[in-house]
Amino acid sequence: MLPPYQRRSAFPSAREDEARAKKVPDTPQTRSSAYGLAYSDLDFMKREELRPVRLQLELMKAELMLQEHGVDATVVIFGSARSRPDDLAPDDPRCADYAAARRLGQLISSAQNGCPERLRVVTGGGPGIMEAGNRGADDAGAESIGLNIILPHEQAPNPYITPELCFQFHYFALRKMHFLMRARALVCFPGGFGTLDELFETLTLIQTGKIEAMPVLLYRRDWWERIINLPALAESGMIAPRDLDLVRMVESADEAWDIIRDFCTERCGESQA
């Protein structure tokens, strides 16, 4: 049976009617913007009042394309866009971060690593740690996903993302939804505001029961313990002591992968019970 997006309807498709609309006589009426089909009228689609429609389109475009490619389980890799080995001294710790993220991408994407689910790497699509994660997947000959977003200082997608799974977003909110809708784990390497934003949003969603619990792994304990003091939050009563268990520190890509694989194995076992 054909998937829903390929099934033939009794009604003409949007493409067919759009082609027919171009064959009408050239008159003042047909040249008016009012006469154009709403979905073909880009000026209309960009109106302020159409923001709810654009939000839905941005959710649906990536959703449908990911479904068509059979993507239903991912591991999210976050980290600094500035961890670029070519721009750093060889002894800069960010070079080792890049190598570890690349190694993790390889482990996630290698089918022989004992995970019951087919996992794909998903990153923010840019350079640095994001590039490393996608590059590791490419090393393994696997697909990977990049969720880019338009920024004032635009960055091009890194060259290791699978082209058919390279998306561009206007709305941060929709991009964040797509990071987590299929996520089995989140791995945060050292990074800046964007990394911290995604980390704390994920922790909040897990803490409040808005998404299923998953491994949230922080790579390189010495860095993270200098940046955030989670025990102080618990000691001051701002979070519950049990909330400290929502994150785990890891020191290698292999350690991170062992945790992710074991979680997926246990999860699949529970779903089949």
Side-chain angles (χ1 to χ4, degrees):
M1 179 180 293
L2 289 172
Y5 61 88
Q6 289 184 353
R7 290 177 195 160
R8 180 66 184 175
S9 168
F11 296 100
S13 71
R15 289 189 179 90
E16 288 168 339
D17 263 358
E18 187 177 37
R20 291 170 183 167
K22 295 176 181 177
K23 298 177 181 179
V24 298
D26 183 19
T27 69
Q29 290 76 24
T30 62
R31 288 196 295 270
S32 169
S33 62
Y35 185 77
L37 289 165
Y39 57 81
S40 297
D41 188 340
L42 293 181
D43 287 335
F44 174 72
M45 291 295 293
K46 293 172 187 173
R47 287 180 58 152
E48 191 70 15
E49 300 90 339
L50 269 289
R51 178 175 287 126
V53 175
R54 294 195 299 274
L55 285 163
Q56 184 178 20
L57 289 172
E58 195 151 280
L59 174 68
M60 289 303 299
K61 180 179 180 181
E63 174 67 17
L64 292 174
M65 296 184 77
L66 290 168
Q67 286 182 15
E68 289 167 19
H69 280 80
V71 177
D72 55 13
T74 62
V75 175
V76 187
I77 297 178
F78 285 131
S80 176
R82 303 181 185 191
S83 297
R84 311 181 197 188
D86 292 344
D87 301 335
L88 302 170
D91 59 348
D92 191 306
R94 288 174 291 178
C95 292
D97 293 344
Y98 183 101
R102 183 176 178 181
R103 167 70 175 162
L104 181 59
Q106 294 168 348
L107 291 168
I108 293 165
S109 304
S110 298
Q112 68 270 24
N113 280 327
C115 184
E117 293 190 281
R118 184 184 178 190
L119 301 174
R120 269 83 155 208
V121 170
V122 58
T123 78
I129 295 299
M130 297 174 279
E131 175 189 289
N134 293 120
R135 187 175 181 178
D138 188 67
D139 292 338
E143 294 178 329
S144 71
I145 303 155
L147 305 182
N148 292 263
I149 191 161
I150 299 171
L151 300 172
H153 303 288
E154 187 175 354
Q155 60 187 31
N158 73 67
Y160 301 102
I161 306 166
T162 301
E164 295 79 15
L165 298 175
C166 185
F167 302 100
Q168 182 171 222
F169 288 83
H170 173 63
Y171 298 107
F172 265 108
L174 273 300
R175 179 178 184 245
K176 287 179 175 182
M177 285 189 68
H178 276 294
F179 274 129
L180 295 178
M181 285 170 68
R182 297 166 172 79
R184 297 292 183 263
L186 167 69
V187 186
C188 286
F189 287 76
F193 290 153
T195 301
L196 295 171
D197 174 45
E198 300 290 357
L199 168 62
F200 280 103
E201 176 146 350
T202 303
L203 290 176
T204 301
L205 291 171
I206 295 173
Q207 181 199 50
T208 57
K210 288 294 185 180
I211 60 173
E212 295 180 8
M214 69 181 80
V216 177
L217 309 178
L218 306 184
Y219 175 81
R220 195 150 58 91
R221 177 187 293 271
D222 66 326
W223 189 86
W224 284 103
E225 289 185 344
R226 286 191 298 116
I227 302 304
I228 56 175
N229 190 341
L230 296 177
L233 285 174
E235 290 165 8
S236 60
M238 301 303 172
I239 62 173
R242 66 177 179 274
D243 291 334
L244 296 175
D245 297 332
L246 297 179
V247 299
R248 294 177 67 174
M249 304 286 184
V250 295
E251 298 298 326
S252 71
D254 291 80
E255 182 184 1
W257 170 244
D258 287 344
I259 294 169
I260 295 166
R261 182 194 58 215
D262 292 348
F263 171 78
C264 290
T265 300
E266 181 179 352
R267 183 179 182 276
C268 288
E270 290 174 352
S271 67
Q272 294 169 4

